[in-house]
Amino acid sequence: MDRALPSVLKQTHANMEIIVAAHGCTDETIEAVTGINDPRITVIDVPRKRTYPPTAMNHWLAGPIAPANAALREVSGDWIARLDDDDEWTPGHLSELLWFAHQG
């Protein structure tokens, strides 16, 4: 909430839908995101289930699968740019990706 979403909201390309997949959040994340009151944002609550591999090391490989798939089911646009909660984009990230995509 401190880095990822603010970096998305600062994009120079503003025509987008933002889907926040709250994966078993136990804090005030859903309320905080909903409180931003931006019509481009949709928050989905994805329950955390015990479907992880048996070893903790492999949790890194499977952890984002459920929320990512839940968010993909909500997508209505033609292009998808995924961002984890601990990452951030530079302001021109989406504009540059779309520019490169249309060059081919």
Side-chain angles (χ1 to χ4, degrees):
M1 176 73 184
D2 294 333
R3 288 191 299 192
L5 189 53
S7 76
V8 172
L9 295 172
K10 292 178 185 172
Q11 290 301 295
T12 56
H13 182 85
N15 182 16
M16 63 179 141
E17 62 181 328
I18 303 165
I19 300 170
V20 177
H23 189 208
C25 294
T26 57
D27 57 9
E28 305 297 321
T29 297
I30 294 173
E31 293 81 5
V33 173
T34 304
I36 294 172
N37 199 26
D38 186 315
R40 300 174 297 176
I41 300 175
T42 300
V43 181
I44 55 173
D45 188 7
V46 182
R48 190 175 292 269
K49 297 179 183 174
R50 298 289 176 209
T51 57
Y52 293 100
T55 62
M57 185 175 123
N58 289 332
H59 288 202
W60 287 100
L61 302 173
I65 299 302
N69 285 340
L72 287 171
R73 286 190 289 273
E74 299 292 320
V75 171
S76 64
D78 293 329
W79 297 93
I80 298 169
R82 189 174 174 277
L83 181 67
D84 286 326
D85 64 334
D86 59 347
D87 295 327
E88 61 186 293
W89 288 340
T90 59
H93 182 78
L94 291 180
S95 294
E96 292 172 20
L97 285 177
L98 288 168
W99 183 85
F100 280 107
H102 285 104
Q103 296 307 304

